[in-house]
Amino acid sequence: MKVVLQRVRAASVAVEGKVVGEIGAGYLLLVGLALGDDETTVRRLAADVAKARLMPDAQGKMGVNLRDAGAEALAVSQFTLLADFTKGNRPSFNGAARPEVAQPLFDLFAQELGALLGRPVPTGVFGAEMAVELMNDGPVTVVLE
């Protein structure tokens, strides 16, 4: 499992021109699920995201987690995070979990993170062609695995 976490001032995700999820300040989470990922992996990464102290404190330094900052999270499934270019210029996605496995795990990730944050986590639409807009803050971008 790979999560690209971007601290944002605002972010949204749209499908066919209609916004299906949006947040103000917080984290945009691009989530890729790999072969072998399971509920334990998903719960651990959700906890890591919830605990990550990347929001600015009173001095403007990274030191506050999402919940304490009163900030939000938006999760977007993105199997392309598992791209493998070792055999040429065209990526292989053989390391990505199949949709029938990945979708329930992605849903669990959003649910677990929402429980840890005390608020629902909006998402994109699994498997859909999505347009993601964000205003990066910092910029702060980290990868969790």
Side-chain angles (χ1 to χ4, degrees), residues 2 23 25 36 58 70 82-83 85 89 93 97 99 103 112 116 134 136:
K2 194 176 284 192
I23 61 168
L82 285 296
F85 284 92
N89 296 322
F93 298 104
Q103 183 169 7
E112 286 289 314
L116 292 166
L134 68 134
N136 207 313

Side-chain angles (χ1 to χ4, degrees), residues 115-135:
L116 292 166
L117 298 178
R119 68 172 64 207
V121 172
T123 67
V125 175
F126 189 92
E129 185 77 23
M130 295 177 271
V132 179
E133 291 189 13
L134 68 134
M135 181 180 289

Side-chain angles (χ1 to χ4, degrees), residues 26-94:
Y27 300 159
L28 170 62
L29 306 166
L30 305 175
V31 181
L33 290 140
L35 292 174
D37 287 342
D38 58 17
E39 291 182 6
T40 300
T41 306
V42 168
R43 287 188 171 97
R44 179 180 56 79
L45 265 290
D48 288 350
V49 169
K51 292 185 289 186
R53 296 182 344 175
L54 299 172
M55 297 301 292
D57 61 18
Q59 289 76 40
K61 298 185 186 285
M62 290 186 275
V64 181
N65 65 36
L66 275 181
R67 187 176 187 136
D68 292 345
E72 304 173 275
L74 171 63
V76 177
S77 62
Q78 189 169 350
F79 76 94
T80 59
L81 292 175
L82 285 296
D84 178 2
F85 284 92
T86 59
K87 293 185 180 179
N89 296 322
R90 185 166 183 227
S92 166
F93 298 104
N94 291 337

